[in-house]
Amino acid sequence: MTATAASELLRLHRDPALLTVVNVWDAISAQVVADIPGTTALATASHSIAASRGYEDGENIPVEEMIEEVRRIVVATTLPVTADLEGGYGDAAETVRRAIGVGVVGANIEDQMKPLDQAAAQVEAIMSAAAAEGVPDFVLNARTDAFVKGVDNALEEAVARGKAFLEAGAPVVFVPAKLGEEQVATLVDAFGPQRLTTIGLPGTPSLARLQELGVARVSYGPMSQRVALTALAELVEAVHEGGGVPDSMRPLN
């Protein structure tokens, strides 16, 4: 079943229709997102999971806790689940193996700007581990932090790293940043269509334009949790001002 789900997730990335995934962080957020018509896959957000358990982002959450929360999300849905596993918690291939063990069929793994040969070797090790677990179509979303870390010539660095990750076996490359249309086009030209994944930030090209450009997937990282927390904060503010629950509330749990 895991291998079949991985193949379906890979197909969704290869389809010219843009895959959108609004990230989740626990069982109830997974159920809410999965139940919305048009949702075809789920993606977790490591930042959001860590925050919900009281940890700062950046591999401060113990890997056991991360895997357990991801397991609960997998159990909560019948859709394919890809997990944000940060940099791999010291052993990316082993962490991916453990994630596959709870039903995960794809993962984000950060390069954290390791030397390129090490980062590419990590990609190869992850894909080898997935194949050994019987999931050769595991959708590794190999992330480069060229923009996140603010390196010089970030676009050129992202191109070089992404191409190396694809050559090492990753099916898609994640370049999180507020990318403009020309930058997206450059990355798609370098990687090929349906090989680039991006993050949906205010001010980035529209989903329709990203699809036209050949982007495989757009995810939303911690933004979905921030939207939910904003709604909570606004409820508290309304109560303090003498108001109450908005009429738009839906009984989703």
Side-chain angles (χ1 to χ4, degrees):
M1 179 179 288
T2 301
T4 301
S7 297
E8 172 61 10
L9 184 61
L10 182 60
R11 184 195 69 77
L12 290 168
H13 284 77
R14 292 287 180 259
D15 195 312
L18 181 68
L19 172 62
T20 57
V21 285
V22 176
N23 300 69
V24 301
W25 58 92
D26 60 10
I28 187 57
S29 61
Q31 290 170 2
V32 169
V33 173
D35 286 346
I36 301 298
T39 302
T40 55
L42 294 183
T44 73
S46 62
H47 185 129
S48 301
I49 290 175
S52 70
R53 287 180 169 244
Y55 297 98
E56 293 290 329
D57 190 30
E59 298 195 351
N60 288 295
I61 184 172
V63 65
E64 294 81 9
E65 289 194 42
M66 179 62 74
I67 295 294
E68 172 58 18
E69 196 63 64
V70 169
R71 183 194 67 78
R72 291 172 181 268
I73 290 166
V74 171
V75 170
T77 182
T78 59
L79 297 176
V81 176
T82 178
D84 180 352
L85 299 174
E86 304 195 72
Y89 306 99
D91 188 339
E94 172 60 16
T95 297
V96 165
R97 188 192 68 78
R98 293 175 65 176
I100 290 172
V102 300
V104 167
V105 296
N108 290 8
I109 297 289
E110 304 161 0
D111 66 359
Q112 299 177 336
M113 296 310 292
K114 297 182 177 77
L116 183 52
D117 58 343
Q118 294 179 24
Q122 177 172 270
V123 167
E124 187 172 356
I126 290 167
M127 295 307 296
S128 294
E133 293 298 309
V135 191
D137 286 342
F138 187 82
V139 183
L140 173 61
N141 195 28
R143 168 176 155 168
T144 176
D145 290 328
F147 282 92
V148 172
K149 298 290 188 182
V151 302
D152 293 336
N153 302 312
L155 182 60
E156 294 177 16
E157 188 71 21
V159 165
R161 285 176 168 266
K163 291 173 72 172
F165 298 161
L166 292 169
E167 290 172 5
V172 283
V173 173
F174 183 29
V175 183
K178 187 175 180 179
L179 299 172
E181 187 170 315
E182 290 186 5
Q183 292 171 312
V184 171
T186 296
L187 291 163
V188 172
D189 286 345
F191 302 159
Q194 281 71 57
R195 296 295 187 277
L196 171 67
T197 77
T198 66
I199 188 166
L201 297 172
T204 55
S206 69
L207 296 178
R209 184 58 181 143
L210 292 173
Q211 178 171 293
E212 290 174 357
L213 289 169
V215 172
R217 160 178 149 193
V218 176
S219 57
Y220 291 84
M223 265 63 73
S224 50
Q225 187 184 60
R226 290 172 181 170
V227 168
L229 293 175
T230 297
L232 176 60
E234 289 175 349
L235 170 61
V236 176
E237 290 164 354
V239 169
H240 289 173
E241 293 169 1
V245 175
D247 293 338
S248 60
M249 185 201 73
R250 287 181 275 173
L252 297 174
N253 65 348

